């Protein structure tokens, strides 16, 4: 008999004396609307509002948390349906789904398991655990469910209680889909400005993007000055489309300005296809600083998440493209790296910098001390591998004592997996309820304060950080 | 109605099964005398025994834990009464106090909140929480209280149960106030020798200090040999004034000796005002090693706390001076940095080195292994941002299993905020009681052993480290 | 009256609601056989099956966990019976034992205390705690016990439930003792191939070892090609003797291949006694990569434990030799260091790399992300200083959410202290039971899954990693 899947009402809440307090706190936050102000859901999903394809495409193939775990046990990306760049036909979705179901035990103890159980039970109406035996029945059941009109993406926005969601869009995106959507669903889905591809001059195809930027902005990007002007123009277009923030994924947090002459020299060299790795790195750090300059002008919240060696396995990257789970964190430094930026903008009115990390060692050593003194700095929610029950608990324990609660940015779900958004917010609210409840039963926080802080962490701080 | 302020008798003790054990352990240590052998209270406080000024000057302005949190939320240092170097009149103390009270919620979850609640309730007799509404009444109430004779600093030494307190004094201090105090209160307040300003040759005003050192020591400091001799002479004066220790705040833990010739070369260059940053760093590391040489001779316990980038924001430093909360930790290395020093003195009879850090990553990786094998090494209490409930718990969990309990230095309060001293010791004793109680209820430590260890951590180890 | 020693049946299990669940889980794993597939017990112990010497030689002198703690409190290595290289007669074993017993309190809160209490109570039948007063009686009691036939090493293999144990053997070991043992006790004790001494070209005596390697392998090691061929030959001999794995202790995790020409150049220089530290390091990193090449050929599991500065105190090393407790960890990097190796072998069928660390900062940042995507990578059990109750708990909390349970290698005891093996496995099983029980009572894991995972962690994963 298949094992019944029924997420426990107290899941991820603490045991013992704190449970009751945590239940009450969670009850007070669980129905607050969702602000999803840092995410990677494809804008096309909302623009077309087409039904989702099939269970494998919905829950397995695009979720690198899921595929990386299956790959780690020797299941090839091909058997998981990852599309090859060479156009080889991917595996049959039903076979992919069977592979996933047969390996359901691999996710024990991981956040993917919590999110998926939540999605199965509370979104898709699935009542048994995946298994080799149950795979086909689940496939058919989920297929039927996602064909229903109330499972269209826009309908789910309402069902999920999403007040506002932002996508992440290349600086060279023309925002046409956002324009269409703004007409249909005004003020519900906004873009985020991501200039990463434009500021890393040594990546293949960069000069094409630089040209594309110039065309879009109607500015000649053959010079560094033109490049800056074009970026400013695109930021303005994003602002007009409702954007609240920029998003920067860099290898390091270095935000060190160059002289204009030096920046121009490197830019010009890159246009000729002749740029050293050192120069390209220096230019990227310079552009991070320039992003702060521009944010101080136009008010876009600057979000930085450094410290990941992308595409660690070149063969996987060559065969399947970027972001296939072979991104591995490295030690990251913030104190010295951000000093020039904070020296100039750390106390600047209206400038806000949200810092993320996948290196926990900086929580108490660098991030909390920075956020705990510079008005510009807020700490983003635990990112990526750390967006997990113990990861979120450690984050609170490591930053709160130095930075307090009010230098946090609030929760962001940071996901491409649209169906997981309510699960992620719910899990975060549970962990915060548990953290606060533990403080209450240890008489380190009064219960009335705990309720207020819980609401602030779940909703008010995100509003304050991104929408005030 | 204002919210009543009444610290819970079980505050910061664990919940559940461990609470009763923790209560018993805490009851056994809470009235032990306080040894305050690493602190930064102004000697003038005791020498003049003048009444404290006003609530803002007592509790807000000089406490960078408090001001940094308020600054982080955009309240300018000026509105907090931080004295500007240019002599601009600071804000009215009552206005500063109102700012603090209106932002009391910012301290939720921080150690400042615990310390302040303790001070309010148990020292100042305040019975309501600060708030915008209650600010003026609290100001008047505290002002009246600190005008009473029993609130003079010397009277508080008794009331707080302080057996011995050390101040921190520049190597170029003439110790006149200590001499005065020794006559009035023999053996109760002793100096600590801090040579930092003398060993960082590239800091503005260094050569003036070098001259001042020579005058005080009656030794010509125009040569490196004279400089060393003068330092030895000053250490002797400190020893005669009752000093038990030296204190060293360096950017890195490097304690690497130079040759005499090289040290002399750098020293002579610096006197001419011509020293590179590299040479100055090397000299600082050399002098750390020389401090060990001298400690092995004169018995002063050597205290090292490296790894902080001081005055991260140059504009704040320029306007308000050093130590205004804009000091941010950096990753710190001990294993290689201390090797030459430990090779020579790690097993030396009578030499003792107490290590502090604000980089928690070294607790289990470097500090506990070093303390767990070198007789000279003791681990200082969690420092600065880590002197907090979760910070202290993590410290115990990360070092005890490798270094045991008996390679610790005991608690040090390390504060300029005199009124917070009993609160800090009490919080540390509570956290240790909870840590030990958790071991007891997990059957990892017998209860009789827990009681002994608690006393050792609260009192005996500090005595053994600094006074034996 | 001496204090009774009686390990609590619930020792190291969690308190509160989780205790009952943890008890049940532990009850289900505590009698599983022991797989000891990464250890350092002397092969001579089993080959000769001679009785153990005396309590000091059995429990104090060879256990650097024990001696380092005693040394850290100023007890000289001489008084602990550490044999001097110069042949000075070591202290009388009874005096060593008295020293140990008088300082029993130093081990409070350390894993040594748990292991020793377990050994005393469950292996040696000791019923009182060590103390200065009880020292002689305990000495006599233990001496009598270890003289009994059932305390011979081979008998203890059965009594301890050890299914398979591996020793660690130099690549230049002739495996004669293993051959003898294989005849007497087939398939019970196997060697592990450790080439460290051969791949660090700048260590004293290296060229003698290179010659010895050539003789054993009957290959001329005067050339780099011959050296590689000889290593391949020795690996084959180890495989034939039942070896399952290789073992690599390097200062860093760098596994960066050189060109053949470059490797040959360095090798030839080293044979002439003329090799720089840089070249020697580069060669060691090259040979780590070559070990992966060979493991992909012959199937030996590759075990890597980097990041320790060995023999931190040169004077201790000079007087007493290596591995006397003065080994101190350093920060370690895996993401970049292992990239070339994983690029080539990360997805290779049959290749397996088990990673260990004494730098906890890499658990969530580097190790779990690597193990959570590369099929070749498994994470070894918490190593050395981290093989402790809180260390093991932190390991689970820091890696499971990213890597799950099934990318772990299972527990390895990694000890020279034969008598401590059952204690170490038992403690690990208790900590895992507690970790899983906490997940169960927080409704993060179903209880039936917890039982399965507990068995996998305690036994199945070690079998799968090393024996499949």
């Amino acid at each position: 008999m298949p094992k019944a899947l029924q997420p426990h009402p107290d899941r991820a809440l603490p045991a013992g004396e704190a449970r009751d307090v945590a239940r009450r706190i969670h009850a007070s936050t669980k129905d607050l609307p969702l602000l999803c102000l840092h995410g990677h859901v494809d804008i096309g999903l909302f623009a077309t509002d087409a039904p989702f394809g099939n269970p494998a495409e919905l829950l397995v193939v695009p979720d690198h948390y899921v595929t990386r775990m299956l790959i780690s046990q020797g299941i090839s990306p091909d058997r998981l349906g990852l599309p090859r760049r060479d156009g080889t036909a991917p595996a049959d979705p039903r076979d992919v789904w069977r592979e996933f179901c047969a390996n359901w035990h691999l996710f024990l103890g991981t956040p993917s398991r919590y999110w998926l159980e939540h999605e199965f039970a509370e979104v898709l109406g699935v009542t048994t655990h995946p298994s080799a035996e149950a795979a086909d029945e689940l496939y058919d059941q989920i297929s039927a469910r996602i064909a229903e009109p109330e499972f269209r993406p826009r309908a789910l926005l309402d069902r999920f209680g999403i007040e506002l969601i932002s996508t992440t869009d290349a600086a060279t995106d023309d925002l046409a889909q956002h324009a269409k959507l703004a007409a249909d669903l005004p003020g519900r889905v906004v873009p985020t400005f991501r200039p990463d591809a434009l500021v890393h001059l040594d990546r293949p195809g960069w000069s094409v993007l630089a040209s594309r930027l110039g065309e879009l902005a109607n500015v000649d990007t053959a010079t560094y000055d033109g490049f800056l002007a074009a970026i400013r123009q695109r930021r303005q277009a994003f602002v007009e489309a409702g954007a609240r923030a920029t998003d920067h994924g860099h290898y390091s947090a270095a935000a060190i300005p160059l002289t204009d002459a030096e920046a121009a020299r490197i830019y010009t060299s890159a246009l000729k296809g002749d740029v050293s790795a050192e120069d390209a790195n220096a230019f990227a750090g310079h552009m991070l600083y320039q992003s702060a300059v521009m944010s101080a002008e136009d008010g876009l919240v600057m979000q930085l998440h450094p410290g990941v060696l992308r595409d660690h396995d070149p063969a996987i990257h060559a065969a399947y493209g970027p972001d296939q789970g072979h991104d591995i964190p490295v030690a990251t430094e913030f104190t010295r790296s951000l000093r020039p930026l904070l020296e100039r903008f750390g106390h600047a009115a209206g400038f806000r910098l949200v810092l993320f990390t996948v290196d926990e060692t900086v929580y108490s050593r660098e991030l909390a001390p920075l956020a705990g003194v510079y008005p510009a700095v807020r700490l983003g929610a635990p990112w990526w591998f750390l967006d997990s029950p113990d990861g979120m608990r450690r984050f609170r324990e490591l930053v709160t004592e130095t930075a307090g609660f009010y230098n946090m940015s609030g929760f962001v779900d940071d996901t491409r997996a649209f169906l997981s958004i309510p699960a992620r917010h719910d899990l975060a609210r549970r962990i915060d309820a548990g953290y606060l409840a533990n403080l209450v039963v240890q008489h380190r926080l009064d219960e009335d304060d705990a309720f207020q802080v819980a609401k602030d962490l779940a909703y008010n701080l995100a509003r304050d950080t991104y929408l005030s």
Side-chain angles (χ1 to χ4, degrees), chain A:
Chain A
M1 219 184 89
K3 184 175 161 186
L5 188 158
Q6 194 170 20
H8 196 282
D10 291 334
R11 63 190 180 277
L13 298 184
E17 209 177 318
R19 180 179 283 141
D20 260 357
V21 183
R23 275 180 187 149
R24 287 196 298 273
I25 295 174
H26 180 242
S28 76
T29 59
K30 75 186 174 58
D31 298 322
L32 291 173
L34 307 189
L35 290 172
C36 306
L37 292 164
H38 178 123
H40 303 294
V41 173
D42 179 13
I43 175 67
L45 212 66
F46 305 113
T48 65
D49 203 33
F52 296 104
N54 60 59
E57 274 174 32
L58 180 62
L59 297 168
V60 180
V61 181
D63 187 338
H64 60 67
Y65 287 89
V66 171
T67 54
R68 75 192 310 279
M69 180 62 85
L70 296 166
I71 289 169
S72 79
Q73 289 284 310
I75 302 167
S76 83
D78 291 333
R79 281 164 62 202
L80 297 173
L82 264 63
R84 277 188 174 266
R85 282 177 153 180
D86 65 10
T88 309
D92 181 84
R94 189 175 285 268
D95 289 337
V96 171
W97 182 253
R98 286 172 180 156
E99 200 74 73
F100 165 73
C101 289
N103 287 285
W104 181 230
H105 66 287
L106 297 180
F107 299 97
L108 289 169
T110 72
S112 294
R113 177 101 175 196
Y114 301 109
W115 299 329
L116 287 165
E117 290 192 6
H118 183 118
E119 291 167 61
F120 284 139
E122 305 201 3
V123 183
L124 296 165
V126 167
T127 56
T128 61
H129 276 278
S131 65
E133 298 70 32
D136 280 344
E137 190 181 324
L138 287 181
Y139 190 90
D140 296 333
Q141 182 185 344
I142 296 172
S143 297
R145 181 68 62 120
I146 60 183
E148 296 168 14
E150 63 263 36
F151 277 83
R152 297 290 180 86
R154 293 186 187 178
L156 289 177
L157 278 180
D158 288 334
R159 179 163 164 203
F160 290 170
I162 292 175
E163 184 177 314
L164 182 61
I165 186 169
S166 69
T167 61
T168 306
D169 309 84
T172 48
D173 190 287
D174 64 9
L175 300 179
Q177 297 199 86
H178 273 282
K180 175 179 184 313
L181 200 59
D184 298 355
L185 268 183
R188 196 73 176 278
V189 184
V190 297
T192 297
F193 184 78
R194 184 157 198 166
D196 289 352
L198 280 174
V199 304
H200 290 93
L201 308 182
D202 55 351
R203 292 198 187 153
W206 169 77
S207 65
V208 176
L209 284 180
S211 298
R212 164 89 180 127
L213 172 73
E215 286 157 24
L216 262 179
N218 200 20
V219 173
D220 181 4
T221 54
T223 65
Y224 167 68
D225 284 347
F227 176 72
L228 285 189
I231 288 181
R232 274 197 169 81
Q233 197 279 351
R234 291 313 299 151
R235 291 175 66 109
Q236 197 50 44
F238 273 67
V239 167
E240 284 159 17
R244 302 298 184 158
T246 66
D247 189 16
H248 306 268
H250 280 225
Y251 184 65
S252 99
I256 318 282
L258 303 171
T259 62
D260 286 351
E262 184 66 1
R265 182 191 64 74
I266 296 174
Y267 184 83
T268 306
S269 301
L271 279 182
K272 294 178 189 150
D274 173 30
V275 66
S276 68
E278 290 73 27
D279 275 356
N281 281 340
F283 190 84
H286 169 74
M287 286 307 298
L288 213 48
Y289 186 90
Q290 291 304 317
S291 292
V293 172
M294 296 181 196
S295 274
E297 294 164 6
D298 63 22
L300 289 176
V301 173
M302 183 170 174
Q303 300 177 107
L304 176 61
H305 37 229
V308 179
L309 199 165
R310 304 269 170 178
D311 305 315
H312 192 265
D313 186 329
I316 293 284
H317 181 247
Y320 305 97
D323 299 331
Q324 292 306 340
H326 284 71
D327 300 337
I328 310 288
V330 293
T332 311
E333 204 282 335
F334 287 88
T335 300
R336 284 177 289 247
S337 300
L338 291 178
R339 196 183 191 193
L341 190 159
L342 291 173
E343 181 177 348
R344 179 148 166 213
F345 298 111
H347 293 262
F351 175 70
R352 187 146 288 164
L353 174 66
V354 181
L355 299 177
F356 296 87
T357 189
V358 272
D359 175 1
E360 299 187 86
T361 69
V362 299
Y363 280 160
S364 73
R365 187 180 65 213
E366 304 179 37
L367 293 189
L370 287 168
V373 73
Y374 281 105
V377 178
R378 294 267 169 108
L379 300 190
W383 177 37
W384 200 333
F385 301 116
L386 306 174
D387 180 11
S388 63
D390 284 326
M392 292 190 279
R393 174 184 53 76
R394 286 195 300 270
F395 173 74
R396 290 274 173 250
E397 291 177 358
L398 284 157
V399 306
T400 304
E401 295 183 321
T402 293
F405 292 112
Y406 294 95
N407 289 304
M408 303 296 118
S409 77
F411 184 70
V412 299
D413 48 72
D414 194 9
T415 187
R416 295 181 252 170
F418 181 49
L419 242 59
S420 74
I421 288 178
R424 287 168 191 250
H425 284 261
D426 181 65
L427 187 58
R429 290 171 182 188
R430 288 172 181 272
I431 297 302
D432 283 342
Y435 171 72
L436 295 169
N438 275 318
L439 294 184
V440 169
V441 298
Q442 292 168 33
H443 303 292
R444 294 167 56 187
L445 188 69
D446 291 343
E447 190 162 334
D448 59 339
D449 289 325
F451 276 89
Q452 182 59 51
V453 168
K455 287 197 183 74
D456 293 335
L457 295 176
Y459 179 82
N460 294 331
L461 279 163
R463 173 162 281 282
D464 180 64
T465 300
Y466 291 96
L467 304 176
S468 71

